[in-house]
Amino acid sequence: MKYWIMKSEPSAYAFDDLVRDGRSLWTGVRNYQARNLMDEMKVGDLVLFYHSSCDPPGIAGLAKVSATAVADPTQFDPKSDYFEKRATKDVPVWRCVEVVPMKKAATLLPLETLRAEPALADMVLLQRGSRLSVQPVDKPAFDRIAKLATLK
DNA sequence: GCCAACGTTGGC
DNA sequence: GCCAACGTTGGC
Protein backbone atom coordinates (compact mmCIF):
# COMPACT_ATOMS: atom_id res chain seq x y z
CA MET A 1 0.00 0.00 0.00
CA LYS A 2 1.15 3.51 -0.78
CA TYR A 3 0.50 6.88 0.79
CA TRP A 4 -0.21 10.21 -0.85
CA ILE A 5 -1.08 13.82 -0.30
CA MET A 6 -3.70 15.46 -2.48
CA LYS A 7 -4.28 19.19 -2.34
CA SER A 8 -7.52 21.04 -2.74
CA GLU A 9 -8.59 24.58 -2.11
CA PRO A 10 -11.35 24.22 0.50
CA SER A 11 -13.31 27.01 -1.18
CA ALA A 12 -13.50 24.74 -4.23
CA TYR A 13 -13.75 21.32 -2.57
CA ALA A 14 -13.11 20.79 1.14
CA PHE A 15 -12.76 17.59 3.12
CA ASP A 16 -16.27 18.19 4.49
CA ASP A 17 -17.55 18.18 0.90
CA LEU A 18 -16.05 14.73 0.44
CA VAL A 19 -17.72 13.58 3.67
CA ARG A 20 -21.03 14.94 2.41
CA ASP A 21 -20.64 13.32 -1.01
CA GLY A 22 -19.42 9.99 0.32
CA ARG A 23 -17.10 9.58 -2.65
CA SER A 24 -15.64 11.80 -5.34
CA LEU A 25 -13.72 11.66 -8.58
CA TRP A 26 -10.58 13.74 -8.17
CA THR A 27 -11.18 15.78 -11.30
CA GLY A 28 -9.39 18.83 -12.59
CA VAL A 29 -5.76 17.75 -12.26
CA ARG A 30 -4.01 19.32 -15.27
CA ASN A 31 -0.38 18.60 -14.58
CA TYR A 32 1.35 15.61 -16.14
CA GLN A 33 3.43 14.69 -13.13
CA ALA A 34 0.36 14.72 -10.88
CA ARG A 35 -1.58 12.72 -13.45
CA ASN A 36 1.16 10.11 -13.65
CA LEU A 37 1.18 9.78 -9.86
CA MET A 38 -2.59 9.21 -9.88
CA ASP A 39 -2.04 6.46 -12.44
CA GLU A 40 0.12 4.69 -9.84
CA MET A 41 -2.60 4.74 -7.19
CA LYS A 42 -4.27 1.51 -6.18
CA VAL A 43 -7.52 0.82 -4.38
CA GLY A 44 -6.86 1.05 -0.65
CA ASP A 45 -4.00 3.54 -0.86
CA LEU A 46 -4.36 6.21 1.82
CA VAL A 47 -4.55 9.90 0.99
CA LEU A 48 -3.88 12.87 3.22
CA PHE A 49 -6.36 15.56 2.20
CA TYR A 50 -4.56 18.91 2.24
CA HIS A 51 -6.26 22.29 2.24
CA SER A 52 -4.27 24.83 0.23
CA SER A 53 -4.61 28.56 -0.41
CA CYS A 54 -6.46 29.12 2.83
CA ASP A 55 -5.67 30.29 6.33
CA PRO A 56 -4.15 28.25 7.70
CA PRO A 57 -3.23 25.66 5.08
CA GLY A 58 -2.85 22.12 6.39
CA ILE A 59 -4.01 18.52 6.62
CA ALA A 60 -7.80 18.35 6.94
CA GLY A 61 -8.45 14.63 6.91
CA LEU A 62 -7.75 11.15 5.64
CA ALA A 63 -9.21 9.61 2.52
CA LYS A 64 -8.78 6.33 0.68
CA VAL A 65 -8.50 5.49 -2.99
CA SER A 66 -11.70 3.65 -3.93
CA ALA A 67 -11.15 3.33 -7.69
CA THR A 68 -8.08 3.50 -9.90
CA ALA A 69 -7.65 6.18 -12.54
CA VAL A 70 -10.27 6.66 -15.24
CA ALA A 71 -10.69 9.38 -17.88
CA ASP A 72 -11.51 12.70 -16.19
CA PRO A 73 -15.01 13.52 -17.50
CA THR A 74 -14.48 17.28 -17.15
CA GLN A 75 -12.00 17.25 -20.05
CA PHE A 76 -14.85 16.45 -22.48
CA ASP A 77 -17.14 19.25 -21.30
CA PRO A 78 -16.74 22.43 -23.39
CA LYS A 79 -18.39 24.43 -20.62
CA SER A 80 -15.97 23.22 -17.96
CA ASP A 81 -12.92 25.19 -16.88
CA TYR A 82 -11.10 21.90 -17.31
CA PHE A 83 -12.11 21.31 -20.92
CA GLU A 84 -9.27 19.83 -22.99
CA LYS A 85 -9.67 20.27 -26.70
CA ARG A 86 -6.99 17.72 -27.52
CA ALA A 87 -8.89 14.99 -25.68
CA THR A 88 -11.16 12.46 -27.36
CA LYS A 89 -13.13 9.63 -25.78
CA ASP A 90 -10.76 7.17 -27.42
CA VAL A 91 -7.64 9.07 -26.43
CA PRO A 92 -8.25 11.04 -23.24
CA VAL A 93 -5.49 13.25 -21.90
CA TRP A 94 -6.39 13.58 -18.22
CA ARG A 95 -7.39 11.01 -15.67
CA CYS A 96 -8.70 10.95 -12.13
CA VAL A 97 -9.00 8.47 -9.28
CA GLU A 98 -12.00 8.11 -6.99
CA VAL A 99 -11.61 8.70 -3.26
CA VAL A 100 -13.78 8.13 -0.21
CA PRO A 101 -13.46 9.87 3.18
CA MET A 102 -11.97 7.92 6.08
CA LYS A 103 -11.58 10.31 8.98
CA LYS A 104 -11.60 14.02 9.52
CA ALA A 105 -8.64 15.50 11.42
CA ALA A 106 -9.50 16.29 15.05
CA THR A 107 -8.39 19.79 14.20
CA LEU A 108 -6.76 20.95 10.98
CA LEU A 109 -3.06 20.12 11.21
CA PRO A 110 -1.36 23.31 10.04
CA LEU A 111 1.48 23.42 7.56
CA GLU A 112 3.42 25.39 10.16
CA THR A 113 3.29 22.38 12.52
CA LEU A 114 4.55 20.09 9.78
CA ARG A 115 7.45 22.44 9.13
CA ALA A 116 8.37 22.30 12.80
CA GLU A 117 8.76 18.51 12.68
CA PRO A 118 12.38 17.54 11.95
CA ALA A 119 11.27 14.05 10.89
CA LEU A 120 9.17 15.54 8.08
CA ALA A 121 11.81 17.87 6.66
CA ASP A 122 12.31 15.75 3.54
CA MET A 123 8.64 15.68 2.56
CA VAL A 124 7.88 16.86 -0.96
CA LEU A 125 5.21 19.12 0.51
CA LEU A 126 7.76 21.07 2.52
CA GLN A 127 10.27 21.64 -0.25
CA ARG A 128 10.60 25.13 -1.59
CA GLY A 129 8.22 25.87 -4.39
CA SER A 130 6.51 22.49 -4.28
CA ARG A 131 3.32 23.15 -6.21
CA LEU A 132 2.53 19.58 -7.16
CA SER A 133 -1.09 18.86 -6.26
CA VAL A 134 -0.57 15.11 -5.93
CA GLN A 135 2.47 13.96 -4.01
CA PRO A 136 3.82 10.66 -2.69
CA VAL A 137 4.43 10.36 1.05
CA ASP A 138 6.62 7.70 2.64
CA LYS A 139 5.24 5.53 5.43
CA PRO A 140 7.19 7.10 8.31
CA ALA A 141 5.99 10.58 7.31
CA PHE A 142 2.46 9.33 6.82
CA ASP A 143 2.45 7.66 10.23
CA ARG A 144 3.78 10.78 11.91
CA ILE A 145 1.16 12.99 10.30
CA ALA A 146 -1.62 10.51 11.02
CA LYS A 147 -0.61 10.58 14.65
CA LEU A 148 -0.35 14.38 14.84
CA ALA A 149 -3.80 14.76 13.30
CA THR A 150 -5.35 11.72 15.05
CA LEU A 151 -6.34 10.21 11.73
CA LYS A 152 -6.30 6.58 12.83
C1' DG B 1 -1.49 41.84 -2.88
C1' DC B 2 3.19 40.24 -3.45
C1' DC B 3 6.30 37.34 -5.33
C1' DA B 4 9.20 33.00 -5.80
C1' DA B 5 8.93 28.82 -8.09
C1' DC B 6 8.08 26.38 -11.91
C1' DG B 7 5.28 24.43 -15.88
C1' DT B 8 3.82 25.61 -20.55
C1' DT B 9 3.85 27.96 -24.88
C1' DG B 10 5.60 29.50 -29.01
C1' DG B 11 8.97 32.10 -31.91
C1' DC B 12 13.22 31.35 -33.84
C1' DG C 1 16.17 22.36 -29.12
C1' DC C 2 16.68 26.81 -26.87
C1' DC C 3 14.83 30.16 -24.09
C1' DA C 4 12.02 34.35 -23.16
C1' DA C 5 7.47 35.38 -22.05
C1' DC C 6 3.64 34.22 -19.75
C1' DG C 7 0.36 31.91 -16.59
C1' DT C 8 -0.50 29.44 -12.35
C1' DT C 9 0.29 27.91 -7.70
C1' DG C 10 0.28 28.83 -3.14
C1' DG C 11 2.59 30.56 1.10
C1' DC C 12 3.13 34.69 3.33
Side-chain angles (χ1 to χ4, degrees), chain A residues 112-133:
Chain A
E112 185 180 18
T113 304
L114 302 180
R115 287 201 189 283
E117 285 284 315
L120 300 177
D122 293 336
M123 279 187 72
V124 177
L125 183 73
L126 303 182
Q127 303 312 303
R128 267 172 73 85
S130 170
R131 301 183 305 164
L132 203 57
S133 65

Side-chain angles (χ1 to χ4, degrees), chain A residues 32-130:
Chain A
Y32 290 102
Q33 198 178 346
R35 181 200 70 181
N36 294 343
L37 288 169
M38 278 199 293
D39 284 344
E40 293 180 28
M41 292 184 183
K42 298 209 167 72
V43 172
D45 282 3
L46 294 176
V47 176
L48 297 165
F49 194 120
Y50 180 86
H51 282 179
S52 65
S53 294
C54 57
D55 189 20
I59 304 292
L62 180 67
K64 185 171 71 175
V65 176
S66 50
T68 53
V70 295
D72 179 340
T74 63
Q75 71 193 304
F76 305 122
D77 178 3
K79 293 191 293 295
S80 169
D81 287 344
Y82 299 111
F83 179 65
E84 171 60 70
K85 64 176 188 233
R86 296 173 296 161
T88 63
K89 296 277 182 170
D90 285 342
V91 188
V93 179
W94 303 112
R95 291 181 285 279
C96 55
V97 295
E98 185 191 75
V99 296
V100 294
M102 294 290 286
K103 186 171 180 187
K104 184 176 176 171
T107 57
L108 183 118
L109 176 60
L111 177 62
E112 185 180 18
T113 304
L114 302 180
R115 287 201 189 283
E117 285 284 315
L120 300 177
D122 293 336
M123 279 187 72
V124 177
L125 183 73
L126 303 182
Q127 303 312 303
R128 267 172 73 85
S130 170

